[in-house]
Amino acid sequence: MRDKREYQPDSYLLYENRFYQIRIRVELKEEIDSDILASAVNRAIKRYPYFSVKVKLENGEYILEKNERPVCVSKTTDGVPALGSDRVNNHLVSVDYLDRYIYFNMSHALAGACGINEWVKTNIYEYVSEKYNIFPDTTGIIMVGTPLTDGETAYPDYEKLPDLKPYGAYKKGSGYTPEDDYIEALRNGICDICYCIEIDQKDLMTYVKTKDATPAVILSVLMYKALTNVFPDKDEPIVCGIVQNMRDQLGCKNSYHDMTRIVNIRYTPNMADFPIDRLGTITRGMLMLQSQPENSIYDMRKLIEWHSEIDKQKTLRSKRILCAQNDKHTDYFLGDIDTDSNNAKVYIPYIKSIYPCAANDKHNNRVKAS
């Protein structure tokens, strides 16, 4: 299908105008020891060869190749060093710290939340082990020195994906999309329009159970209800995008690769006065309809075909122009970090909080739900 020596799916987002980085903030209970952090980070990266890479321009295309230089660990400044630059030893990952905070940075070209989650957990385990000279429970943590797991680097084979038509596909109309402003802010390294809403997990789950729903469904409904109050006179639909991880449906359950798509929940003006229970039922129906395996397979085939179109361009300039003209082909979104206590037992005595943030988030835009 493609005229290329090796298919590297992680390289294609580098051509996109919407390229940005994922940034995870971990707040410890004690001030960071920079020497131990640097030691831990550079042990941990050895377990993730697919993250220890640099970008090489060859014959008009980006090639990812092994990077032997140390991962950069530095004190947090007003601006995050550009990933891939010489300032971070050409890596597409870096770590910075300030007081009790550690910031893990990764190019979204390499992975999404599922991929960075594992890397962060390994880093924290290495740091805690060295600093406190303890070796806690390793449940749910990928350890340095262990081999790659079965399917860890798996990616769908286009030739083996059936050519299916999408089922219940959603067609996005015109309108204002805050996501566009958000991604632009992430690209620029500063995000003043992002508000992190803190919701007590126990309270949320208690409420979810009373509505026979899921957290994603309830949050979608509550955000819709809030927007109807903000825009009471609007007569256009309000659409909520829910991230769906396609890895299971594509046979790549354990893969580090980012395989997500957006399921769109469309609320029309006549639903404004519907009770929460009814909106939850409507939301579940749209979610189930669009989350069918046929849609995941269809979207993945389209994505690989899009990569092939990029490959046909002979120069870097033509590749970037094509991507700028067809930005709609790929959507990449910030995901949350898994902080389930069963998978993070090592964190409990030492870590205060973990959450995804924008590139220069100063934590001023945090809102606590009540």
Side-chain angles (χ1 to χ4, degrees), residues 28-43:
L28 274 66
K29 294 181 179 180
E30 297 182 2
E31 191 161 330
I32 304 302
D33 185 314
S34 59
D35 291 336
I36 291 179
L37 179 61
S39 173
V41 166
N42 281 286
R43 284 197 306 275

Side-chain angles (χ1 to χ4, degrees), residues 140-357:
I141 298 173
I142 298 177
M143 299 297 294
V144 172
T146 59
L148 295 180
T149 58
D150 185 34
E152 187 172 340
T153 61
Y155 199 78
D157 182 345
Y158 180 86
E159 303 301 333
K160 295 180 180 180
L161 292 174
D163 187 5
L164 303 174
K165 297 298 180 183
Y167 184 76
Y170 172 86
K171 293 185 178 180
K172 186 176 180 180
S174 60
Y176 170 65
T177 307
E179 165 208 326
D180 295 337
D181 291 342
Y182 178 52
I183 290 181
E184 182 63 26
L186 289 175
R187 287 177 56 211
N188 292 333
I190 298 175
C191 187
D192 294 326
I193 63 171
C194 173
Y195 288 81
C196 297
I197 302 174
E198 296 182 3
I199 303 175
D200 183 85
Q201 185 179 29
K202 290 183 179 179
D203 290 345
L204 176 62
M205 293 309 299
T206 299
Y207 183 72
V208 164
K209 289 177 182 177
T210 66
K211 301 301 178 183
D212 190 27
T214 65
V217 167
I218 285 298
L219 290 175
S220 177
V221 169
L222 294 179
M223 293 305 287
Y224 166 64
K225 280 289 194 181
L227 287 171
T228 59
N229 291 326
V230 175
F231 304 108
D233 300 324
K234 288 288 184 182
D235 57 359
E236 293 92 1
I238 293 175
V239 180
C240 175
I242 298 177
V243 177
Q244 178 198 0
N245 193 331
M246 303 186 293
R247 296 191 305 173
D248 282 6
Q249 294 180 342
L250 296 170
C252 300
K253 181 178 180 179
N254 298 320
S255 179
Y256 78 89
H257 290 287
D258 188 28
M259 302 180 200
T260 57
R261 58 189 295 270
I262 296 300
V263 174
N264 294 283
I265 310 301
R266 187 174 185 268
Y267 300 105
T268 54
N270 67 302
M271 298 179 186
D273 296 324
F274 285 7
I276 297 292
D277 302 72
R278 186 177 179 186
L279 287 171
T281 300
I282 292 171
T283 301
R284 284 200 307 274
M286 287 189 279
L287 187 60
M288 292 177 62
L289 184 66
Q290 293 181 63
S291 299
Q292 297 303 308
E294 293 91 340
N295 295 340
S296 295
I297 293 170
Y298 175 85
D299 282 0
M300 180 53 66
R301 281 181 62 92
K302 287 299 180 184
L303 179 61
I304 298 175
E305 288 170 3
W306 170 237
H307 290 171
S308 185
E309 289 299 312
I310 296 175
D311 287 342
K312 292 177 183 177
Q313 306 300 311
K314 301 302 182 183
T315 66
L316 177 61
R317 176 179 171 79
S318 62
K319 286 180 171 64
R320 294 186 66 85
I321 290 175
L322 178 67
C323 290
Q325 294 172 342
N326 295 271
D327 201 39
K328 62 185 179 181
H329 283 274
T330 52
D331 286 317
Y332 295 84
F333 296 84
L334 204 64
D336 204 349
I337 193 80
D338 175 16
T339 55
D340 182 87
S341 59
N342 291 328
N343 288 337
K345 292 179 181 178
V346 63
Y347 303 154
I348 296 173
Y350 310 102
I351 293 181
K352 187 173 181 181
S353 66
I354 304 176
Y355 90 112
C357 58

Side-chain angles (χ1 to χ4, degrees), residues 74-102:
S74 60
K75 196 166 186 177
T76 305
T77 61
D78 289 337
V80 179
L83 295 179
S85 68
D86 190 60
R87 189 176 169 190
V88 294
N89 288 338
N90 304 117
H91 275 285
L92 295 180
V93 297
S94 72
V95 176
D96 57 282
Y97 63 92
L98 184 66
D99 300 327
R100 303 188 313 275
Y101 301 103
I102 305 176

